[in-house]
Every structure is written in structure tokens, then in C-alpha cells.
Amino acid sequence: MLHASEHSGPRSLLRLGRWRRACCALSAAALLCVAAPALAADITPVKVTTANGMTVLVLEQHFLPIVEMHALVKAGSAQDPPDKAGVANLVASLLDEGTTTRSSKQLAEQIDFVGGSLEARAGEDFTTASARVLKKDLDLGFTLLADILMHPAFPRQEFERVRGQILGEMSSDNDDPGTVAMRAFNQLVFHNHPYRWPVNGTEETVARITLADVQGFYAREYLPNQVILTVVGDVTVEQATALVQTYFGTWKKGTSPARATKKPAPVEKKAVQLIEKDLTQSTILLGHGGISRNNPDFYAITVMNHILGAGGFSSRLMDSIRDKQGLAYGISSHYDARAMPGSFWINLQTRTEATNQAITGVLSEIKAIRESPVSDQELSEAKTFLMGSFPLRLDSTAKLAQVLAQVEFYGLGFEYFSQYPKWIERVTKEDVQRVARQYLDPNRYALVVVGNVAKAKVRQ
């Protein structure tokens, strides 16, 4: 499926309360947050490009009186200056903290009053800002979304407060072995590449960010010709395009910034990093570079990865490492497909003395799926699950708006919605073995272990 950006900067308690109230209000009729299941073949949005270069996708769904407006800005943490990682996240975190005409309190009160939601978050490849309202409040939804995107004020007081919150969150993250391991893993796999930094940056880089950096990033990156706006719900194409013109028509087009598209350098040999923490368990992260989202092998890799470790209790890693060897409560594998090639990793926690056994077991499963075809049953169950769960990823206006924007961003074509099950169904045992051999490497990988290094005695 699509890579959905889940990383976001910390939110204030006010914003958390705002989000909770919005969800409660919008689900007052219990079903208003959820769209009736749509047949994938029915998802045929209308695409319009405005005079100022904004890409607008409209999908009419009239069975619930709700509309989601979702703006994808083609700028994320990959565009952060190298010594100022975290700028994109800070910009996104400040969008709804005050505009030239509304304070953060006024924004919160206006969206709360109609039981709507308004939020923004940054990811690696893009930033999203979205508003969800009932049909009767459509004008207000467009008003507020356009206001935070076009007229953020970046008040110095809010900048200092939000930056302080982000730094505070990072400090607490240092106690989380999973976060520590992922941070170290990304440094090994994405050496000298923009993906090496967390979306919210590091304590050192965020401390260096100035208000001028935030304002400069916004001025450079937030342009209408850098935006994909999806409008999904109880609205006609004519209404939506007229509203876009009314509220976004004065946004001035600019020159799209140049983009670095270099691929991350591959991990050339085994790279091991051991991080000392006085814990009873070792947190293990093992993997290497991955694929971009538009890689034609994406669907075969999705099936292969489901069988290997993404399929929960039916996966090989869970069967071997958890059930047969009793080494971990949970273990899973991941492919993070992005605009540029992302990463592949396997993560687990095991008791300190079993660290080497667990690592050996993981590498054995990687070798096995490369060396022998998967069984007919494994292939059938993986494909059945992936095809069957696909509609659940499109079962709300919010999900649909998000996926639509990403389909456009990654250039997948709108046939994605009707063809996804067919692309999965087409995957053969030979495809699974071919991509396992091509995209999994049990010899050149990054390994991070967080725990009691002396007791773990990791073999290097």
C-alpha cells in the first residue's frame, strides 16, 4: 500500500484536546467519520489544474454529509537544510498556531464550534494539512485550511514554545530503545542522504533553527504549484472547483525549488552499532536500503514481505523466532517505500542472552526465502489477505483523501484503485523468490542493538 506519513511533531495539549473533540463531534452520528465501503472501481476522481498551478482532485461521495479537504505540499524533511534538520516539521507544527488574521485560539475555537478538525503534519517527502467538516460548514473548512496554508504568521512566542515542546519530546525519546535504534539505523543506511535524519530533527539541529529559517522554508516551498489538494465527500465537482478558486485563487505561483533525487548509497558491508543501555532485553534492528514507491516490483515485494514478516502471526519470522524458538513476543519486517528508495528492516526485542541466537534466526529466514520458492499456501494466504484488506484502507473520507493525494504524488495513476488487487493477484512464486534475491541481502546489512552490550556479546 502507500507509505502514509505517520511522523509528526509534538502537539500542544490544546491541540490534542481539539483533535479529540473534533473526532467526537464528527462521529456524533457514530458513522460520520466512516464512509460507506466504496468499490475500488468506483473511485474515479476528477482532476483539475488551477491557473496558479495547484493540482485539485475531487471525488464525489454523497452518502454522508461530510467533506474532507486534504492538501499535500511537496516538501518534507528531505528538503531540510543538512545542519537544520527539523525545519519542515517545525513549519508544519506552526501552521495552525496563528495566521495574519486569526490567533491559534481563534482557529481552534472556530473549528471546534462546528465539530470539525484541522491539522498539519510533516513527513519525509511531503507535508499535509487537512480540514474535515460537515457539508453545511464547507465554507468555513475552506476558509481555515486556506488561511493556515497561505497566511501563517509564525508568531515568535509560538515558535519558541513549539520548538521547546519538540526538544522536550526528543529528550524523552532518548529513553525509548526502539526510537534510539531506528535513529542509529537510519544513520547507517542513509549515510550522507536527507533520509538519515528523523522528521523532527535532532536536539542539535533543532536548537540551531531560527524563526528566519522557518519563514524562509515556508516562502521557498509553500507554493500553489507545489500542492495537491484532494476534496472528498458530499460536494459536487462544480462546487469544489468554485470553492478552490474563491479561497486559493489569490495564492501566487512561484518557481518550484530544485530537488535532490540521488539514491542513498547501498550498505556495502555489514555495519554494526551497539548502543549501551542497562536493560534486561536487547532491541534489535537489522536491514538495509529498500525501494522507491514507484518501483515496478513494489507489488511482488509487498507479497514477499508479508510472507517474511509483515503478515503477523502467519509470517515466517513470527513462526520461527517467536513460536518455535521462543525468542521474542513479536517480530516484523517492513518496507518503507518513499519518493527516493527507503529502507527495509526487521525489528524485535529479545532477552539479552539470546541476542546472537535471534540475529542468526533472522538471517536464516532471509536466506531461506531467497533460496527456495514459497509454498502455494503461503502465496495464496498472503495474496488473499492483501487483496481483502485493501478496501479497508479506503473506508473513510479522510483515508480516501490521503491515498488520492499520494497516488497523484507518486504518479501511480488512478487505475491504482481498480488494479491493485489484480497486481497483487498476478504475483507468482517465481516473482517472490526473484525479488527476495534482488532486494534482500543477508551479507550486507546494518545491525543496531540497544541493550546491555557486555551481556549480549554480539558477534561482529
Side-chain angles (χ1 to χ4, degrees):
M1 182 56 184
L2 291 170
H3 147 99
S5 180
E6 295 174 353
H7 310 290
S8 67
R11 295 290 186 254
S12 65
L13 290 174
L14 169 66
R15 199 178 298 181
L16 180 62
R18 186 189 319 167
W19 179 82
R20 284 175 176 157
R21 288 194 299 276
C23 279
C24 291
L26 275 175
S27 58
L31 293 173
L32 283 186
C33 279
V34 181
L39 293 172
D42 295 339
I43 300 173
T44 50
V46 172
K47 179 177 174 179
V48 177
T49 304
T50 63
N52 58 4
M54 184 186 287
T55 300
V56 180
L57 309 175
V58 184
L59 182 65
E60 294 188 28
Q61 291 198 320
H62 298 289
F63 37 79
L64 289 173
I66 189 170
V67 182
E68 176 89 16
M69 293 141 281
H70 182 89
L72 182 154
V73 184
K74 300 174 186 177
S77 62
Q79 281 70 54
D80 285 343
D83 61 336
K84 301 278 181 79
V87 173
N89 179 65
L90 200 42
V91 172
S93 299
L94 287 166
L95 288 179
D96 64 351
E97 294 291 354
T99 69
T100 53
T101 57
R102 292 175 177 85
S103 67
S104 59
K105 186 169 182 282
Q106 287 171 325
L107 285 166
E109 286 174 349
Q110 287 186 21
I111 196 69
D112 273 0
F113 185 73
V114 299
S117 69
L118 181 71
E119 64 175 2
R121 61 178 60 198
E124 292 88 354
D125 294 324
F126 49 79
T127 296
T128 59
S130 58
R132 185 163 65 249
V133 292
L134 296 172
K135 180 183 181 180
K136 67 183 179 64
D137 303 311
L138 197 50
D139 276 287
L140 178 68
F142 266 95
T143 297
L144 298 183
L145 183 62
D147 200 22
I148 67 170
L149 282 170
M150 294 169 61
H151 310 296
F154 302 120
R156 179 168 291 279
Q157 185 178 348
E158 302 295 351
F159 164 76
E160 297 291 354
R161 180 181 61 78
V162 172
R163 186 175 65 162
Q165 285 180 343
I166 292 170
L167 288 168
E169 184 185 64
M170 287 177 185
S171 183
S172 63
D173 280 347
N174 291 332
D175 296 325
D176 177 49
T179 302
V180 171
M182 181 55 81
R183 212 158 46 200
F185 175 78
N186 284 337
Q187 288 287 331
L188 293 174
V189 172
F190 297 117
H191 184 63
N192 285 333
H193 189 274
Y195 286 161
R196 70 188 182 278
W197 302 115
V199 170
N200 59 357
T202 69
E203 287 168 297
E204 295 74 29
T205 61
V206 171
R208 282 198 289 265
I209 296 171
T210 65
L211 183 56
D213 293 324
V214 166
Q215 292 165 333
F217 187 97
Y218 171 82
R220 184 172 63 251
E221 301 287 353
Y222 279 65
L223 306 168
N225 42 303
Q226 287 263 95
V227 172
I228 299 165
L229 177 67
T230 56
V231 184
V232 178
D234 192 8
V235 62
T236 66
V237 172
E238 293 74 24
Q239 285 173 316
T241 51
L243 286 163
V244 169
Q245 178 57 37
T246 299
Y247 291 101
F248 290 98
T250 58
W251 202 359
K252 293 287 189 290
K253 186 175 184 176
T255 303
S256 294
R259 288 286 182 256
T261 55
K262 67 170 185 174
K263 292 183 179 180
V267 177
E268 295 292 356
K269 59 183 180 181
K270 185 167 78 167
V272 179
Q273 185 167 350
L274 309 178
I275 300 173
E276 178 63 43
K277 275 197 180 294
D278 187 17
L279 301 166
T280 57
Q281 285 192 316
S282 291
T283 293
I284 300 168
L285 225 155
L286 184 154
H288 46 64
I291 60 167
S292 59
R293 179 56 188 85
N294 56 12
N295 187 311
D297 284 327
F298 177 85
Y299 302 96
I301 288 171
T302 298
V303 175
M304 180 273 291
N305 188 46
H306 186 90
I307 294 169
L308 176 64
F313 285 100
S314 67
S315 74
R316 288 185 173 190
L317 285 170
M318 194 74 98
D319 178 61
S320 170
I321 306 298
R322 175 193 157 113
D323 296 346
K324 290 178 179 168
Q325 299 183 63
L327 297 177
Y329 178 75
I331 180 170
S332 55
S333 62
H334 314 262
Y335 260 97
D336 187 7
R338 302 180 185 173
M340 294 175 277
S343 57
F344 161 78
W345 76 93
I346 293 167
N347 65 298
L348 72 149
Q349 287 186 317
T350 190
R351 63 186 187 279
T352 305
E353 297 76 12
T355 302
N356 283 312
Q357 185 185 347
I359 294 167
T360 300
V362 166
L363 292 170
S364 295
E365 291 305 323
I366 291 175
K367 289 173 185 170
I369 202 165
R370 282 164 48 95
E371 290 167 3
S372 305
V374 299
S375 70
D376 290 332
Q377 183 177 350
E378 285 178 310
L379 182 70
S380 173
E381 288 179 355
K383 294 200 293 190
T384 298
F385 176 85
L386 291 166
M387 291 186 292
S389 62
F390 181 65
L392 300 178
R393 301 171 184 179
L394 310 169
D395 65 359
S396 73
T397 51
K399 289 181 188 176
L400 258 176
Q402 181 179 336
V403 173
L404 268 175
Q406 291 186 32
V407 165
E408 178 68 17
F409 176 76
Y410 292 117
L412 305 180
F414 298 138
E415 67 272 17
Y416 169 83
F417 297 101
S418 58
Q419 294 300 312
Y420 178 92
K422 297 174 185 173
W423 290 331
I424 293 293
E425 176 57 44
R426 227 170 269 154
V427 175
T428 66
K429 287 196 291 185
E430 292 74 25
D431 291 329
V432 169
Q433 189 174 11
R434 174 182 61 80
V435 297
R437 284 177 171 167
Q438 185 173 345
Y439 297 101
L440 295 177
D441 195 330
N443 299 311
R444 291 185 289 270
Y445 57 85
L447 169 66
V448 177
V449 179
V450 179
N452 189 319
V453 172
K455 283 186 182 176
K457 297 177 181 173
V458 177
R459 291 191 293 268
Q460 299 191 53

